Amino acid sequence: MARAAVRAGLVAVGLAWVLVAQVVLAADAKTYVLEGSKAAALESCVEPTDVMRRKHMELIKHQRDETVHGGIRSSKHSLAGCVECHIRSDAEHVPQPIHQKEEFCGACHAFTAVNLNCFNCHASVPRGPGAERAAHAAFQAVGVDRSVQARPDGEDH
């Protein structure tokens, strides 16, 4: 009986320390919403912050399944929407690849030691005007030499 009481006490103390450690880590955690990004000016994401932190992968997978398997294309939980909103541009207004370790996705995934492979296939910078320069910057960031050529009409390609 005494052993059970001691064991229960040790378990309770251990759980209390785990809880304290989690609170301390949460207080020290960054928000990872980058200054100068569209997200920094918004009150909240497409879902409340606690939901996005806990369930973002489920939301992305659900979006993928609806798009690929069901042909349903909505943008509320799209990966392109994440990139569009959470991207940061450098001093020359070139979007920085969102998966670099100091950027939005990369920072959280590095902190949690999670392998981030979405951007092996998906764009890590927004598409649209100047996208080729951004893609060039992304390739340079990972050490790939890829020159940008301008079209005769002045647009990047």
Side-chain angles (χ1 to χ4, degrees):
M1 184 75 168
R3 279 188 185 181
V6 169
R7 220 179 267 153
L10 289 174
V11 168
V13 168
L15 290 174
W17 276 111
V18 167
L19 182 61
V20 168
Q22 291 297 319
V23 170
V24 169
L25 286 175
D28 287 343
K30 296 178 182 178
T31 64
Y32 295 108
V33 174
L34 301 170
E35 193 174 314
S37 69
K38 182 178 172 183
L42 298 175
E43 184 74 25
S44 68
C45 199
V46 294
E47 301 290 344
T49 301
D50 62 326
V51 172
M52 291 306 296
R53 285 182 178 159
R54 191 175 58 255
K55 298 179 102 177
H56 74 279
M57 195 61 219
E58 293 171 38
L59 297 171
I60 291 171
K61 282 183 182 179
H62 179 72
Q63 177 77 31
R64 176 205 61 195
D65 292 347
E66 284 198 352
T67 301
V68 174
H69 301 294
I72 301 167
R73 293 197 170 270
S74 63
S75 59
K76 184 173 182 182
H77 299 117
S78 74
L79 194 58
C82 300
V83 170
E84 181 67 34
C85 200
H86 289 284
I87 200 79
R88 182 185 61 83
S89 296
D90 66 9
E92 296 172 4
H93 304 289
V94 175
Q96 298 303 295
I98 198 167
H99 63 300
Q100 289 179 335
K101 285 187 179 181
E102 62 276 0
E103 301 303 326
F104 183 75
C105 293
C108 282
H109 287 97
F111 177 77
T112 57
V114 174
N115 183 22
L116 179 62
N117 63 1
C118 307
F119 302 104
N120 292 352
C121 298
H122 293 278
S124 62
V125 293
R127 299 196 186 259
E132 185 64 25
R133 284 187 333 146
H136 178 64
F139 279 107
Q140 279 186 322
V142 294
V144 176
D145 184 26
R146 184 172 169 266
S147 62
V148 177
Q149 300 172 350
R151 287 195 249 167
D153 61 5
E155 291 292 318
D156 292 341
H157 72 281

